[in-house]
Amino acid sequence: MSADWKDIAQKIKKIHKNKDFVPLHEPSFTETEVEYVTDCIRSGWVSSVGKYVDQFERDLADYTGVKRAVAVVNGTAALHISLKIAGVQAGDEVIMPALTFIATANAVSYLNAVPHFADVSETTLGLDPIKLETYLTEIGTMKNGVLVNKQTDRIIRAVVPMHTFGHPVDLDPLVELCARFNLALVEDAAESLGSFYKGKHTGGFGIAGALSFNGNKIITTGGGGVILTNDDQFADYAKHITTTAKIPHPWEYRHDEVGYNYRMPNINAALGCAQLEKMDLFLNSKRKTTVKYAELLEQLDGVKLFQEPSFARSNYWLQTMVLDEKFHNRNYVLEQLNEKGAMARPIWTPINRLEPYKDCQAMDLTITNNFNERIVNIPSTPLKGDPHE
């Protein structure tokens, strides 16, 4: 049947037990967060050193199945440092999806390197490894063990897949591709805490992975990020340079290189520790929401709910509608839902269309451009009551 978007907005609000307005995604807190943050304040250890930072790093490493986690101020900083330690240098190119949040490209630019945009898969919304392999074979050549772009003469140093809205990229062929071309694999796992690829948590497949804990993520530290890695040397160096490269000493201020003041404050980590304890509740709620939305949308012409690929288990961070352009105008749908109090947003503008990156090289972006006109995100906050049950 045809869609009455004002009626659908009312049904979305009913699912979330809210009569007036349903945000796209907001944090969910209980007394545990208050308890941990209060304890942190009373201890006086609210900055970059304290028991909650250490605990949060340990807990995240355990949860994601990696050896080490290094807590930093945000997900962009996590990507920046991961790419730096992975060997990205000024003038290098880094492959990433054009369909991602701008932070992925900004982290590359901080190193004076150059983003190089690739297309995404209809199955995952993330990098298409098969299409990418064909493309790199065409434009690249191996010289002295590195992949060189024949069109620009720059080294292509790394690949950054992004797990869009929590849906894992098809990682096995991407890992093989990176090994074949000697490319560093750094996962932008900002949105995919709680997502698994063939039973293994995202963020642990390459040399490093970056998580984000912004206020709209599945768990939040207010602002924050984490570098995941299975390499102890990588983690030790990440911790060193994100702590202004200060050499440990009882009283002297000695720094052995240019570092970054990127460490996560203890007070933010306290919030994260409490949030992480609720991960299973949040994930269960997300899956309940998926079922409810699938039931709501399955009878509508030209609308489908994007669901996890067969090889993965997604955290369903943001619920995603894919519209058939024959039936629906994306902007009209956005207007109707928002007008009736069900907050909705489009997917990001492809980065190659944005002013800072319009001159960067891009492969054929057919799927990216198609999705840009068809995707609408709808309210995805954990259902009311679920975290407390």
Side-chain angles (χ1 to χ4, degrees), residues 259-331:
Y260 304 87
N261 191 14
Y262 276 2
R263 291 290 285 155
M264 177 185 284
N266 196 43
I267 194 167
N268 295 84
L271 188 60
C273 288
Q275 286 271 284
L276 191 56
E277 291 177 7
K278 301 180 175 71
M279 268 299 296
D280 288 344
L281 292 169
F282 292 152
L283 291 172
N284 289 338
S285 178
K286 296 281 189 180
R287 300 193 80 81
K288 290 179 186 177
T289 305
T290 302
V291 171
K292 290 177 183 292
Y293 277 151
E295 292 172 350
L296 174 62
L297 301 176
E298 65 183 356
Q299 302 301 319
L300 301 181
D301 291 332
V303 185
K304 67 176 182 178
L305 188 72
F306 191 89
Q307 300 199 42
E308 62 197 0
S310 59
F311 48 70
R313 187 171 178 85
S314 174
N315 67 6
Y316 284 103
W317 170 58
L318 279 188
Q319 300 288 344
T320 304
M321 294 192 306
V322 183
L323 309 175
D324 189 326
E325 292 172 288
K326 295 178 183 177
F327 293 87
H328 306 287
N329 176 282
R330 185 201 70 174
N331 288 347

Side-chain angles (χ1 to χ4, degrees), residues 47-248:
S47 294
S48 60
V49 177
K51 70 175 185 180
Y52 287 108
V53 175
D54 296 338
Q55 181 184 331
F56 193 47
E57 290 178 334
R58 288 193 304 269
D59 291 350
L60 278 168
D62 288 343
Y63 182 82
T64 58
V66 300
K67 288 182 71 174
R68 300 283 295 279
V70 179
V72 293
V73 291
N74 54 52
T76 310
L79 268 179
H80 174 204
I81 296 302
S82 294
L83 288 164
K84 176 181 173 64
I85 300 175
V88 174
Q89 301 173 39
D92 287 347
E93 294 182 7
V94 176
I95 302 290
M96 67 183 65
L99 204 61
T100 183
F101 183 54
I102 196 170
T104 314
N106 287 347
V108 172
S109 296
Y110 297 162
L111 296 166
N112 293 312
V114 182
H116 188 149
F117 300 115
D119 205 7
V120 298
S121 162
E122 291 183 286
T123 305
T124 67
L125 300 179
L127 278 181
D128 184 330
I130 307 305
K131 193 173 180 181
L132 180 58
E133 182 174 19
T134 301
Y135 176 70
L136 292 179
T137 301
E138 291 173 354
I139 67 143
T141 183
M142 295 300 294
K143 292 182 181 179
N144 300 317
V146 296
L147 182 65
V148 176
N149 185 338
K150 291 184 288 187
Q151 299 177 15
T152 64
D153 235 15
R154 291 191 289 251
I155 294 172
I156 301 176
R157 189 76 68 178
V159 174
V160 182
M162 200 275 288
H163 304 296
T164 309
F165 307 140
H167 300 294
V169 170
D170 192 0
L171 283 158
D172 281 347
L174 201 55
V175 169
E176 292 174 11
L177 180 151
C178 288
R180 173 183 166 187
F181 290 112
N182 193 23
L183 299 167
L185 177 62
V186 175
E187 291 174 69
D188 184 343
E191 301 172 0
S192 66
L193 180 66
S195 296
F196 293 81
Y197 175 80
K198 297 183 179 179
K200 181 179 176 180
H201 198 283
T202 55
F205 286 81
I207 191 168
L211 298 177
S212 170
F213 304 105
N214 188 32
N216 66 349
K217 293 301 189 293
I218 192 163
I219 71 168
T220 184
T221 58
V226 156
I227 298 166
L228 302 176
T229 184
N230 288 303
D231 185 320
D232 283 324
Q233 263 190 316
F234 192 107
D236 289 342
Y237 185 45
K239 185 167 284 194
H240 177 62
I241 63 171
T242 57
T243 316
T244 66
K246 183 178 182 297
I247 299 171

